[in-house]
Amino acid sequence: MSFDNVWLNANLATMGDDALGLIEDGAIASKNGRIAWVGPRTGLPAHAAPVTDCGGAWILPGLVDCHTHLVFGGNRAAEFEQRLGGATYEEIARAGGGILSTMRATRAASEAQLVQAALPRLDALLREGVTTVEVKSGYGLEPETELRQLRAARALGAQRPVSIVTSLLAAHAVPPEYKGRQGEYARHVAEDIIPRAAAEHLADAVDAFFDSIGFTAEETALVFAAAQRHGLPVKLHADQLTDCGGAALAAAHGALSADHLERSNSAGIAAMARTGTVAVLLPGATLILRETHFPPIAAMREHGCRMALSTDMNPGSSPALSLLLMLNLGCTLFRMTVPEALLGVTRHAAAALGLGDRGVLAEGLRCDLALYRIQRPAELCYWLGGNPCIGRVVAGIAA
Ligand code: NIG
Ligand code: FE
């Protein structure tokens, strides 16, 4: 058979079934950036391709971080200190800090400055075996800066071996220019910002923040209708601070994912399961905000709603630079099982982005791999810190 590269002497967690799809002493072969063969080494067809001996390492599909706000100016360590002193996230937001303080720093930054600030954060994720990262805008809250954030995100993908998927999150907060006119700002997002981002092919999806300090169901519907007119799938920040029916709203709009869901009710989760909307769980935000409400994992299991896990990397509620740490928190805080957590950063995370070409080690899919020096997959969830990643392969090329 004609292959470009072959990886041998590895144990595989293919993620092809709900028990991790384990293959001991497996082999993977690539051709033109895709997986051309995967299975037990003894079945590998004869070939003349260069071989990498993995020395008994474990191989998983390259990890997918499906919810980040990686591109932003400044940081909010000072607000972290305020919260340690007793202020709440909502109080700080209502007093003009929070998302608006990052908005000011982001508006003041050039595209090059945004890229330079984001690169070390991206590199931290890549070192752990991440090969696909979703990046949201949402700190410009006016067209120029929103598009600049998305351009910076695209530039990151050109500077590093990684797939970057972008989401326009202009409906993240109301900017000062529209203070007291939230509905008008939502219309501005729908009528001006989304069409511009779509015309420049800068957004792969549209996201919105639906919550007590976010947008209403009607405003969200306006924004999502504009996304759909431009052929863009939608996602929703839902039920983080209050149960306002965000899970059901996301399902009603056929969203790819609904994210956070700390306070979602089980009817909403059932609706998400019916529409195939993925639940993206963000334990970094739960930890940092010292949330006492956890996402309704039992309802997700009962209704068969797919769960993903992500860093929510952002300067306010989740300054998390480690997806492996989220695996641990998903298990420790939310009581996810090891297979649930690992599916949450591979197959189900890819589904949360609408990407059917990755997240599983299977023939025909992208050859994005993460190699780990571990004895069993549970170690990826078990260690609290540390990094057993010893290699990454992106589209068939060692990265
Ligand atoms: O996903 N909740 C809204 N958006 C972000 C937080 C953004 C910020 O605080 O800067 C989130 O948690
Ligand atoms: Fe977020």
Short mmCIF file of all heavy atoms in Angstrom, two decimals, residues 67-69 136 139 169 172 207 237 240 259-260 282 312-314 317, ligand 2:
data_model
loop_
_atom_site.label_atom_id
_atom_site.label_comp_id
_atom_site.label_asym_id
_atom_site.label_seq_id
_atom_site.Cartn_x
_atom_site.Cartn_y
_atom_site.Cartn_z
N HIS A 67 -14.02 25.87 22.89
CA HIS A 67 -14.63 27.11 23.40
C HIS A 67 -13.53 27.95 24.05
O HIS A 67 -13.18 27.72 25.21
CB HIS A 67 -15.74 26.76 24.40
CG HIS A 67 -16.42 27.95 25.03
ND1 HIS A 67 -17.78 27.99 25.26
CD2 HIS A 67 -15.95 29.12 25.50
CE1 HIS A 67 -18.11 29.14 25.84
NE2 HIS A 67 -16.99 29.85 26.01
N THR A 68 -12.97 28.89 23.31
CA THR A 68 -11.99 29.80 23.93
C THR A 68 -12.24 31.24 23.49
O THR A 68 -12.79 31.49 22.43
CB THR A 68 -10.51 29.44 23.59
OG1 THR A 68 -10.13 30.08 22.36
CG2 THR A 68 -10.26 27.94 23.51
N HIS A 69 -11.78 32.12 24.36
CA HIS A 69 -11.74 33.56 24.05
C HIS A 69 -10.25 33.92 24.10
O HIS A 69 -9.82 34.73 24.92
CB HIS A 69 -12.50 34.37 25.09
CG HIS A 69 -13.90 33.87 25.40
ND1 HIS A 69 -15.02 34.62 25.10
CD2 HIS A 69 -14.36 32.75 26.01
CE1 HIS A 69 -16.12 33.96 25.51
NE2 HIS A 69 -15.73 32.82 26.07
N LYS A 136 -13.12 32.82 19.89
CA LYS A 136 -14.25 33.74 19.75
C LYS A 136 -13.78 35.19 19.73
O LYS A 136 -12.77 35.51 20.36
CB LYS A 136 -15.20 33.60 20.94
CG LYS A 136 -15.77 32.20 21.10
CD LYS A 136 -16.61 32.11 22.37
CE LYS A 136 -16.90 30.67 22.74
NZ LYS A 136 -17.63 29.90 21.73
N TYR A 139 -14.70 40.92 22.37
CA TYR A 139 -14.10 41.96 23.21
C TYR A 139 -13.91 43.26 22.43
O TYR A 139 -13.19 44.14 22.86
CB TYR A 139 -12.77 41.49 23.79
CG TYR A 139 -12.91 40.37 24.82
CD1 TYR A 139 -12.28 39.16 24.64
CD2 TYR A 139 -13.70 40.55 25.95
CE1 TYR A 139 -12.41 38.13 25.58
CE2 TYR A 139 -13.84 39.53 26.88
CZ TYR A 139 -13.19 38.34 26.69
OH TYR A 139 -13.33 37.33 27.62
N LEU A 169 -18.64 36.60 18.37
CA LEU A 169 -19.41 36.75 19.61
C LEU A 169 -19.63 38.24 19.90
O LEU A 169 -19.39 38.72 21.00
CB LEU A 169 -18.69 36.03 20.77
CG LEU A 169 -19.27 36.10 22.17
CD1 LEU A 169 -20.68 35.55 22.27
CD2 LEU A 169 -18.36 35.38 23.18
N HIS A 172 -21.90 39.73 23.07
CA HIS A 172 -21.29 39.24 24.31
C HIS A 172 -21.65 40.17 25.46
O HIS A 172 -21.87 39.73 26.58
CB HIS A 172 -19.76 39.20 24.09
CG HIS A 172 -18.98 38.45 25.13
ND1 HIS A 172 -17.63 38.59 25.28
CD2 HIS A 172 -19.37 37.54 26.07
CE1 HIS A 172 -17.21 37.80 26.26
NE2 HIS A 172 -18.24 37.16 26.76
N ASP A 207 -21.92 33.20 17.92
CA ASP A 207 -22.21 32.85 19.31
C ASP A 207 -22.90 34.05 19.96
O ASP A 207 -22.82 35.19 19.46
CB ASP A 207 -20.87 32.55 20.01
CG ASP A 207 -21.01 31.81 21.34
OD1 ASP A 207 -22.11 31.77 21.90
OD2 ASP A 207 -19.98 31.32 21.83
N HIS A 237 -23.83 30.80 24.70
CA HIS A 237 -23.46 30.80 26.12
C HIS A 237 -24.78 30.80 26.90
O HIS A 237 -25.54 31.76 26.81
CB HIS A 237 -22.70 32.07 26.49
CG HIS A 237 -21.24 32.06 26.13
ND1 HIS A 237 -20.79 32.14 24.85
CD2 HIS A 237 -20.14 32.02 26.92
CE1 HIS A 237 -19.46 32.14 24.85
NE2 HIS A 237 -19.04 32.07 26.09
N GLN A 240 -25.48 30.18 32.50
CA GLN A 240 -24.29 30.18 33.37
C GLN A 240 -24.65 30.75 34.74
O GLN A 240 -24.27 30.20 35.77
CB GLN A 240 -23.16 31.01 32.73
CG GLN A 240 -21.90 31.05 33.59
CD GLN A 240 -20.84 32.02 33.08
OE1 GLN A 240 -21.10 32.82 32.18
NE2 GLN A 240 -19.65 31.94 33.64
N ASP A 259 -23.29 26.18 25.75
CA ASP A 259 -22.08 26.12 26.55
C ASP A 259 -22.32 26.71 27.94
O ASP A 259 -23.09 27.66 28.08
CB ASP A 259 -20.96 26.89 25.85
CG ASP A 259 -20.72 26.41 24.40
OD1 ASP A 259 -21.70 26.13 23.68
OD2 ASP A 259 -19.55 26.33 24.00
N HIS A 260 -21.65 26.16 28.94
CA HIS A 260 -21.80 26.48 30.38
C HIS A 260 -22.85 25.56 30.99
O HIS A 260 -22.52 24.55 31.58
CB HIS A 260 -22.15 27.95 30.66
CG HIS A 260 -20.99 28.87 30.58
ND1 HIS A 260 -19.96 28.87 31.50
CD2 HIS A 260 -20.66 29.83 29.68
CE1 HIS A 260 -19.07 29.79 31.18
NE2 HIS A 260 -19.47 30.38 30.07
N LEU A 282 -17.65 23.73 31.07
CA LEU A 282 -16.50 24.61 31.24
C LEU A 282 -16.11 24.68 32.73
O LEU A 282 -16.41 25.67 33.42
CB LEU A 282 -16.86 26.01 30.70
CG LEU A 282 -17.39 25.99 29.25
CD1 LEU A 282 -18.00 27.33 28.86
CD2 LEU A 282 -16.28 25.62 28.27
N ASP A 312 -12.63 27.29 28.02
CA ASP A 312 -13.26 28.62 28.10
C ASP A 312 -12.18 29.69 28.29
O ASP A 312 -12.44 30.74 28.89
CB ASP A 312 -14.29 28.68 29.24
CG ASP A 312 -15.17 29.92 29.19
OD1 ASP A 312 -15.21 30.58 28.14
OD2 ASP A 312 -15.83 30.23 30.21
N MET A 313 -10.95 29.41 27.84
CA MET A 313 -9.83 30.32 28.07
C MET A 313 -10.27 31.78 27.86
O MET A 313 -10.60 32.17 26.75
CB MET A 313 -8.72 29.95 27.07
CG MET A 313 -7.32 30.43 27.40
SD MET A 313 -7.11 32.17 27.37
CE MET A 313 -6.70 32.41 29.09
N ASN A 314 -10.34 32.55 28.93
CA ASN A 314 -10.71 33.97 28.83
C ASN A 314 -10.14 34.69 30.04
O ASN A 314 -9.81 34.06 31.05
CB ASN A 314 -12.24 34.13 28.73
CG ASN A 314 -12.95 33.94 30.05
OD1 ASN A 314 -12.82 34.76 30.96
ND2 ASN A 314 -13.70 32.85 30.20
N SER A 317 -13.47 34.87 33.62
CA SER A 317 -14.03 33.77 34.39
C SER A 317 -13.23 32.47 34.28
O SER A 317 -13.52 31.53 35.01
CB SER A 317 -15.47 33.50 33.94
OG SER A 317 -15.47 33.07 32.60
FE FE B 2 -17.06 31.61 27.08
#
